[in-house]
Amino acid sequence: MKSLTVEALARIVGSGRFTDVAARFTGVSTDSRTLRPGDCFFAIAGEQFDGHDYIGRAFARGAACAVVSRDAGEIDTAGKPVLKVPDTATALGDLAREYRRMNAFKVVAITGSVGKTTTRQIVFHVLSKKFRTRQARKNFNNTIGLPLTLLDAEGEDEIIVAELGANHPGEIAYLTRIARPNVAVVTNTHPAHLEGFGTLETIVREKVSIAEGLSDEGMLIVNADIEPLAVAARRTGKPLRTFGTSADADYRVENVAHTGLSSTFTIGGQAIHLPLPGPGNVYNALVAWAVCDRLGVTLEQFAAALKSLPSVAMRAEPVQIAALTVINDCYNANPASMNNALAVLGSVRGAQAVSYTHLRAHETSLHLVCRLLLE
C-alpha cells in the first residue's frame, strides 16, 4: 500500500478533524498477529473474535494508528492516534473505495456460484506474464477481504484480480461499488447459499449486480450457456460479452476432450492444453481468456501461459502418493461443484485413483470417499 496520512484517513472514514499532518501509515491490518510496523489497525468485530480486544497488542507490535468503533479505555496506545467511527468494517470499505479512486491500476472482479478462485488464479497467472499484477490473498472475497485486496496494491501495480462473494442479497452491489471493476465476470449461477438467497432467481440478480459498479469503460462478461443469467445481464444495459459453448457466445470453446487430469480444446482455432481436470475448469479457462483478451493478451500468449499453470489448492488438486493419485477437492461445495468433482473422477483412466471430497452446505458436512478401480 502507498503511504497515506492519518489526516486523510480521518477525512475518508468520517472520524472528524485530525490535525497532526506528519502522522502517516503504510499499510492496513485487521489481525494483530500479522500486523506490520506502520500499519493502521482496524478493530473489526467478528463472529469469533473482536478486534477491539487486541488494540493494545496492535500498538505493541508497531501500529501507526487504529480505527475503532468504541472507546479504547485504558489501553496504552503509545501516544498514537485512535480514530473512532460508527462501524469499522464500513470504514475499511470507505478507505478501500477512495484508495481505488486514487490509483491508476485496473481491476478485474470475479463472482459466480462456483469457479471464482480457479478463474482468478488463471487470470492472474496469465496476466502476470505481461503486466505487474496482484491478486486476492486466498479467497478474500467479502466485505473485509475485498477492501484488503485493494489496499494491498502498490503504486506500480497495473492490474488487481479480485473475487466478490456473497451469502445474502446486496453484498455484491456493495463490493462492486468499492472495486469499480474495469472487467466484471459472472462465471455461472447455480443453487448455492440458498439459506441466504432462497431462490436461484435471487442468486442471478445478486451476481449480475456486479455490473452496478463498473467503471465508465467497463465490460461485463457472463456465461452464455445459462440463459437466465445471460438475459439478466443484457437487461443491465452495460457493455456485455458472453462465453460458453452456445452458438451465439462471443467467446466459444470447441473440440473439448478430457484426458485424466487435464483437458484439451480449441478457442478460435487455437489448440489449448489445460493442465487442470474437469469440465468446470474448461469454462474457467474460457472466461479467463475473455478477460485476458479484453486486457490486451493475444490468444497465442494465453495458450503459452496455460502450459505452466499450477494446480489450485483444494480445487480438484492432484496429489501423488506413491502409486495413488489423490484428488484433493476439499473446499466448500454445492451441487454444481460436486457434479464437476464426479466428472473429474470419471475422466481418470489407466490408474487407480482415490478422491476425498469435503462438502459443506447449510452448515452441515458430508465426507465422500470414492475409490475407483479403473480399467
Side-chain angles (χ1 to χ4, degrees):
M1 179 182 179
K2 294 196 299 187
S3 171
L4 291 177
T5 66
V6 178
E7 181 185 32
L9 173 64
R11 173 180 50 79
I12 293 167
V13 302
S15 181
R17 185 166 182 158
F18 184 81
T19 57
D20 184 356
V21 295
R24 306 185 72 87
F25 63 101
T26 56
V28 167
S29 175
T30 61
D31 189 335
S32 63
R33 297 167 299 180
T34 57
L35 181 143
R36 297 161 299 185
D39 280 355
C40 174
F41 180 66
F42 278 75
I44 306 291
E47 294 181 2
Q48 302 295 327
F49 302 98
D50 187 342
H52 292 85
D53 297 333
Y54 301 93
I55 295 172
R57 181 182 299 178
F59 279 111
R61 290 182 61 91
C65 58
V67 178
V68 304
S69 60
R70 66 170 191 252
D71 291 335
E74 300 300 319
I75 294 172
D76 181 9
T77 64
K80 296 176 182 176
V82 176
L83 307 182
K84 189 176 180 182
V85 298
D87 183 88
T88 50
T90 299
L92 181 65
D94 291 342
L95 175 60
R97 182 186 297 107
E98 181 65 11
Y99 190 73
R100 163 72 174 109
R101 188 195 64 78
M102 292 165 54
N103 288 275
F105 54 71
K106 295 182 177 180
V107 173
V108 176
I110 301 168
T111 193
S113 299
V114 294
K116 293 187 295 295
T117 298
T118 302
T119 300
R120 185 247 299 168
Q121 295 272 32
I122 298 172
V123 170
F124 171 77
H125 178 79
V126 175
L127 291 179
S128 294
K129 305 293 184 182
K130 187 172 182 177
F131 305 100
R132 182 172 171 120
T133 309
R134 189 178 297 267
Q135 67 172 329
R137 287 182 265 164
K138 301 181 180 179
N139 62 321
F140 274 21
N141 61 20
N142 60 14
T143 55
I144 306 302
L146 184 274
L148 290 177
T149 296
L150 297 174
L151 292 167
D152 265 349
E154 302 289 349
E156 300 81 11
D157 290 331
E158 297 174 276
I159 300 175
I160 310 299
V161 187
E163 289 184 41
L164 276 60
N167 295 318
H168 302 282
E171 290 182 84
I172 296 296
Y174 171 75
L175 293 173
T176 190
R177 291 189 180 107
I178 293 173
R180 293 286 291 166
N182 302 88
V183 183
V185 171
V186 184
T187 59
N188 46 59
T189 48
H190 297 294
H193 298 297
L194 289 178
E195 70 277 17
F197 291 108
T199 67
L200 184 56
E201 290 77 13
T202 305
I203 292 173
V204 170
R205 287 196 299 271
E206 177 69 11
K207 299 305 183 185
V208 169
S209 70
I210 195 174
E212 294 179 19
L214 275 173
S215 61
D216 293 339
E217 78 288 1
M219 177 68 68
L220 176 63
I221 301 175
V222 306
N223 193 323
D225 294 345
I226 301 177
E227 183 61 21
L229 172 59
V231 169
R234 286 192 287 270
R235 286 174 179 164
T236 68
K238 301 291 186 179
L240 176 67
R241 295 290 184 273
T242 60
F243 68 95
T245 59
S246 303
D248 60 348
D250 297 303
Y251 295 91
R252 295 184 62 203
V253 63
E254 299 176 301
N255 306 314
V256 178
H258 303 292
T259 305
L261 299 176
S262 64
S263 300
T264 59
F265 49 89
T266 59
I267 299 175
Q270 172 72 50
I272 306 284
H273 176 262
L274 178 67
L276 299 179
N281 279 324
V282 173
Y283 271 99
N284 294 337
L286 179 60
V287 67
W289 158 238
V291 172
C292 293
D293 178 52
R294 176 72 180 168
L295 293 173
V297 175
T298 69
L299 188 52
E300 292 77 12
Q301 291 171 331
F302 181 79
L306 285 191
K307 293 178 182 178
S308 59
L309 181 68
S311 57
V312 182
M314 295 192 295
R315 276 84 168 177
E317 175 191 14
V319 180
Q320 198 67 34
I321 304 176
L324 296 181
T325 298
V326 178
I327 303 174
N328 179 0
D329 200 32
C330 297
Y331 196 73
N332 292 359
N334 56 42
S337 58
M338 182 62 205
N339 184 63
N340 184 70
L342 295 176
V344 170
L345 290 177
S347 70
V348 178
R349 293 292 183 268
Q352 186 181 53
V354 179
S355 176
Y356 176 81
T357 304
H358 173 211
L359 304 178
R360 180 181 177 187
H362 308 299
E363 299 183 354
T364 65
S365 295
L366 171 65
H367 296 269
L368 173 67
V369 179
C370 296
R371 186 178 182 89
L372 300 182
L373 296 176
L374 302 174
E375 296 180 357

